[in-house]
Amino acid sequence: MKLRTVFYKCVKKACNLIEKAFFYVKVQILFFLLAVEHFDFSTNGCPIVNVRKGRMSIGKKFRMNNSLWANTIGFATPCVLVADNANLIIGENVGISQTVLNATGADIVIGDNVLMGGGVKIYSTDFHSLDYSDRRDPLLDCSKRTALPIRIGNDVFIGAGSIILKGVSIGDRAVIGAGSVVAKNIPADEIWAGNPARFIKKVN
């Protein structure tokens, strides 16, 4: 039994190394084809990446998990990185899991040493018009949507399942509780949580 366990662990480790190498090469090719500016990174699985009339830049020591097995927190989707008629700028030493960073129509800028829990979603657009009559026509609906830039400061932690909406600025070292919906600016060194997110306390 002991020998079988050792054999299983060795095979599992070898398979993991092969799989990580495969996805690393795959993401390198993807980034090259889409002209994504990047340095060293690590990845479990492959993200969805879209660059159209925009710029995507990723800093050093970028880490991402793209599947349920890579982070067993319960979000079984790959990371989605979008720069559509806008820029997506990611700083150094940033870690994301099953995260959506969708810069459509307005920039998203993320500072250094930012950590995002599983299933975080950041949108710089609301995707649809608030006028019901506009939404009846897909082309008009698309033309009437609004977009505002988002800035995430340095050393910010965003808890799992949180949603950051357009126009939001989050100050350095702020903490966003899991499952929060953030629709307004958050100062540095504060903890916010809830839907809508509210001030909880200062960071010690």
Side-chain angles (χ1 to χ4, degrees):
M1 182 63 73
K2 186 176 181 180
L3 183 62
R4 185 181 299 176
T5 302
V6 172
F7 178 74
Y8 168 76
K9 288 182 179 179
C10 289
V11 171
K12 182 179 179 182
K13 185 175 182 179
C15 290
N16 286 342
L17 289 173
I18 293 169
E19 189 171 43
K20 287 194 76 170
F22 170 77
F23 282 118
Y24 180 81
V25 172
K26 187 175 181 179
V27 174
Q28 282 281 24
I29 294 170
L30 185 62
F31 282 173
F32 173 76
L33 294 175
L34 293 173
V36 175
E37 302 168 24
H38 66 285
F39 297 88
D40 54 314
F41 68 89
S42 62
T43 181
N44 290 308
C46 187
I48 296 170
V49 183
N50 181 23
V51 181
R52 185 174 63 179
K53 296 182 181 179
R55 170 177 169 245
M56 189 177 297
S57 175
I58 299 173
K60 298 176 182 178
K61 299 180 181 178
F62 180 60
R63 309 175 307 282
M64 58 181 162
N65 292 316
N66 292 286
S67 63
L68 179 61
W69 61 263
N71 184 354
T72 54
I73 199 169
F75 295 92
T77 60
C79 294
V80 179
L81 309 175
V82 176
D84 184 355
N85 199 31
N87 300 316
L88 174 58
I89 310 298
I90 300 172
E92 297 185 358
N93 194 34
V94 172
I96 64 175
S97 292
Q98 300 107 346
T99 299
V100 176
L101 304 176
N102 191 319
T104 296
D107 297 349
I108 295 176
V109 178
I110 297 169
D112 299 335
N113 307 306
V114 173
L115 188 62
M116 301 184 194
V120 168
K121 297 173 176 61
I122 301 180
Y123 306 128
S124 66
T125 178
D126 49 18
F127 297 105
H128 297 281
S129 171
L130 296 181
D131 188 324
Y132 74 92
S133 60
D134 292 340
R135 295 195 299 271
R136 294 175 178 174
D137 182 338
L139 292 178
L140 184 60
D141 184 25
C142 183
S143 69
K144 291 293 186 72
R145 67 187 181 190
T146 57
L148 292 169
I150 293 173
R151 182 191 177 278
I152 311 296
N154 299 323
D155 298 290
V156 170
F157 174 61
I158 302 176
S162 295
I163 300 174
I164 313 299
L165 300 178
K166 69 181 191 301
V168 165
S169 178
I170 298 178
D172 295 346
R173 299 170 300 279
V175 175
I176 311 301
S180 298
V181 177
V182 181
K184 63 181 181 180
N185 294 344
I186 293 177
D189 299 301
E190 292 188 359
I191 299 174
W192 286 55
N195 180 8
R198 296 179 174 85
F199 172 74
I200 303 299
K201 65 177 183 178
K202 290 280 188 180
V203 175
N204 293 331

